[in-house]
């Protein structure tokens, strides 16, 4: 399998090091389960409000800022856009800034965390974290990452609008826009990539409450490729999302990945947060991590299906059990 994996994707190749990553994360992370309560679902029936056209419009706006690697002008404009858009839907945002060592030296990163104004300041529990990465990969040529980084960001913003229509729903979700998912070198390794999600997971130690469960989306805007979910997802999550996906009638299969994929859900999982991770089959996208990842690779209808599936999942997922 390793040989096939190596051909498909450097990030999957890095899965061979997952054991090492787990050990490293486990030694750095707090005993999260001490403060983690079971997740509470959002109310059912919100999915129909999710508009793929609105989500697409956000992707279009973000691509106008140009490439958005960490600490770039494009990233600064993206963060400002997210803050303004989220504020318009009643969400309060916090920049989670940090500096980390990269193969190119120290770099300043900034995650963006969002809670709805209706959420209590000191919640007894914070049921769901829903995240995706906002950065675009550094390539020699201009790289916009319309599908890789853009698609999930558009979905999260439209989810923010839908959730804000029901304070009891919005209070059960923390939205997290991760910086630095992409590696500075070709593939994600234990020391390169996932900078934002690793920092987010590490910083949970300083919080009084943290998410009970998580959903991470990435590269989800292309209807011409299969959608995969993580094989390490708890069984209740897997069976629920398969049911939710059936309602959306994806053109291509929605199925469990045959191998682990290293992405922003891994640091969360390593901190004891059970996660659903959904990602397009990027290894078969001939434009993946090339300048060809442009707006035409993202489909409003696909964004709508993924957004609606995710909202249904947040409403229906049963307890994950012990991580
Ligand atoms: Zn990428």
């Amino acid at each position: 399998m390793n040989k096939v994996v190596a051909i498909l994707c450097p990030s999957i190749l890095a899965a061979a090091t997952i054991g090492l990553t787990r050990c490293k994360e486990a030694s750095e992370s707090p005993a999260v389960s001490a403060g983690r309560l079971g997740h509470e679902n959002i109310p059912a029936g919100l999915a129909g409000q999710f508009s793929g056209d609105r989500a697409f419009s956000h992707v279009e706006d973000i691509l106008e800022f140009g490439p958005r690697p960490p600490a770039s002008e494009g990233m600064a404009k993206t963060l400002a856009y997210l803050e303004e858009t989220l504020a318009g839907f009643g969400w309060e945002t916090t920049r989670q800034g940090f500096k980390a060592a990269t193969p190119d030296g120290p770099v300043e990163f900034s995650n963006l965390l969002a809670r709805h104004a209706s959420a209590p300041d000191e919640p007894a529990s914070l049921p769901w974290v829903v995240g995706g990465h906002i950065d675009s990969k550094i390539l020699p040529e201009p790289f916009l990452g319309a599908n890789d980084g853009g698609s999930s960001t558009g979905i999260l913003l439209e989810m923010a609008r839908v959730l804000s229509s029901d304070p009891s729903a919005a209070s059960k979700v923390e939205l997290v826009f991760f910086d630095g998912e992409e590696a500075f070198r070709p593939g994600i390794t234990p020391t390169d990539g996932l900078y934002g999600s690793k920092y987010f997971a590490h910083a949970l130690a300083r919080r009084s409450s943290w998410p009970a469960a998580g959903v991470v989306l990435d590269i989800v805007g292309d209807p011409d490729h299969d959608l995969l979910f993580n094989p390490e997802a708890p069984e209740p999550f897997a069976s629920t999302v398969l049911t939710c996906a059936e309602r959306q009638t994806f053109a291509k299969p929605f199925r469990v990945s045959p191998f682990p994929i290293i992405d922003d859900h891994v640091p969360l999982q390593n901190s004891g947060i059970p996660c659903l991770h959904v990602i397009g089959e990027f290894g078969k996208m001939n434009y993946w991590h090339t300048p060809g990842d442009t707006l035409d690779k993202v489909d409003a209808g696909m964004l709508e299906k993924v957004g609606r599936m995710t909202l249904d999942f947040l409403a229906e997922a049963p307890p994950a059990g012990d991580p």
Side-chain angles (χ1 to χ4, degrees):
M1 187 171 100
N2 280 347
K3 189 175 178 188
V4 174
V5 158
I7 293 167
L8 280 177
C9 164
S11 298
I12 299 171
L13 179 64
T17 64
I18 191 168
L20 177 62
T21 306
R22 282 183 191 283
C23 292
K24 184 170 184 292
E25 288 295 317
S27 65
E28 293 176 349
S29 299
V32 171
S33 58
R36 186 166 63 80
L37 304 175
H39 72 255
E40 300 167 42
N41 291 334
I42 68 168
L46 291 174
Q49 296 181 38
F50 188 100
S51 161
D53 286 337
R54 286 175 182 264
F56 184 87
S57 167
H58 290 306
V59 181
E60 198 170 22
D61 288 346
I62 290 166
L63 294 197
E64 289 291 315
F65 305 140
R68 48 189 192 286
S72 66
E73 183 183 348
M75 174 58 76
K77 289 179 177 174
T78 300
L79 287 168
Y81 175 84
L82 294 174
E83 288 168 335
E84 184 179 349
T85 304
L86 289 161
F89 300 141
W91 292 73
E92 297 170 348
T93 55
T94 305
R95 291 194 188 195
Q96 187 181 48
F98 65 98
K99 186 185 284 187
T102 77
D104 291 344
V107 172
E108 299 275 357
F109 296 89
S110 185
N111 295 328
L112 191 71
L113 284 48
R115 295 296 319 276
H116 195 261
S118 64
D121 288 338
E122 293 288 338
S125 67
L126 178 55
W128 289 103
V129 57
V130 181
H133 77 91
I134 51 177
D135 60 304
S136 60
K137 189 169 181 64
I138 300 170
L139 292 181
E141 312 88 2
F143 174 68
L144 293 175
N147 195 14
D148 190 355
S151 60
S152 53
T153 306
I155 287 176
L156 261 57
L157 288 174
E158 171 59 359
M159 281 184 63
R161 185 191 70 84
V162 173
L163 290 167
S164 68
S165 70
D166 182 341
S168 72
S171 67
K172 294 182 173 61
V173 175
E174 175 170 358
L175 297 170
V176 182
F177 300 83
F178 294 115
D179 194 0
E181 185 267 353
E182 300 286 7
F184 284 65
R185 296 293 178 264
I188 294 173
T189 71
T191 57
D192 187 18
L194 310 184
Y195 296 96
S197 50
K198 282 184 175 178
Y199 187 83
F200 176 83
H202 184 69
L204 288 172
R206 295 197 291 272
R207 292 168 52 154
S208 58
S209 67
W210 44 80
V215 177
V216 172
L217 307 176
D218 195 9
I219 318 181
V220 288
D222 185 343
D224 296 328
H225 291 85
D226 292 7
L227 269 184
L228 310 176
F229 68 93
N230 50 331
E232 69 279 11
E235 193 287 325
F237 284 12
S239 54
T240 302
V241 77
L242 283 167
T243 302
C244 297
E246 274 178 26
R247 288 178 212 142
Q248 301 305 326
T249 60
F250 290 106
K252 296 288 184 178
F254 179 93
R255 58 186 173 85
V256 65
S257 171
F259 33 71
I261 294 174
I262 302 287
D263 205 346
D264 285 324
H265 62 300
V266 172
L268 305 185
Q269 290 180 162
N270 289 348
S271 290
I273 300 172
C275 286
L276 172 72
H277 172 239
V278 177
I279 188 165
E281 194 174 19
F282 54 93
K284 293 190 176 171
M285 298 172 184
N286 60 10
Y287 59 85
W288 176 68
H289 283 182
T290 79
D293 187 357
T294 44
L295 192 61
D296 56 303
K297 307 305 187 301
V298 177
D299 177 75
M302 185 67 172
L303 298 180
E304 186 163 287
K305 290 177 182 185
V306 174
R308 292 182 175 194
M309 178 187 75
T310 303
L311 286 165
D312 276 347
F313 176 80
L314 295 173
E316 297 172 26
D322 291 333

